[in-house]
């Protein structure tokens, strides 16, 4: 299901598809949040970083990457990923 374009087409008219997509994206957010909390504890993120907010950013960003990979080249995607990493890193 992750990132599958047909899910996006089904969501507006299918409550079950919407619920499944929300659950999948919620699981991804939880995983990112746990990793970001660990990174903050290890000093890899600024001390005041909101792990939940950063996790939501990363979920949104990764879903956007799945769309952009269809229309752009590797250099474009690499630059976007590097910027996203700077945004959530301690040096960002």
């Amino acid at each position: 299901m992750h990132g599958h374009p047909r899910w996006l087409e089904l969501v507006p008219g299918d409550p079950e598809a919407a619920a499944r997509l929300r659950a999948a994206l919620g699981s991804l957010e939880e995983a990112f949040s746990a990793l970001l909390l660990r990174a903050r504890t290890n000093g890899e993120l600024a001390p005041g970083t909101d792990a939940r907010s950063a996790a939501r950013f990363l979920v949104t960003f990764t879903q956007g990457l799945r769309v952009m990979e269809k229309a752009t080249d590797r250099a474009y995607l690499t630059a976007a990923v590097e910027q996203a990493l700077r945004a959530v890193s301690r040096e960002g």
Side-chain angles (χ1 to χ4, degrees):
M1 169 174 45
H2 244 354
H4 198 283
R6 288 186 10 198
W7 279 102
L8 294 178
E9 295 168 13
L10 294 173
V11 167
D14 186 338
E16 182 183 336
R20 291 178 68 186
L21 183 59
R22 274 193 305 274
L25 294 175
S27 294
L28 185 56
E29 182 180 318
E30 289 296 324
F32 276 137
S33 186
L35 290 170
L36 289 164
L37 284 170
R38 184 169 36 176
R40 189 174 65 193
T41 299
N42 292 338
E44 297 167 311
L45 295 179
T49 300
D50 180 342
R52 175 66 61 193
S53 179
R56 288 181 179 161
F57 163 75
L58 289 172
V59 168
T60 302
F61 178 76
T62 57
Q63 296 310 299
L65 275 180
R66 297 184 69 85
V67 172
M68 295 302 290
E69 74 182 344
K70 309 292 186 216
T72 61
D73 61 16
R74 186 174 185 88
Y76 181 98
L77 297 172
T78 299
V81 168
E82 288 171 354
Q83 180 59 43
L85 291 173
R86 281 192 296 273
V88 297
S89 74
R90 185 170 181 87
E91 289 83 37

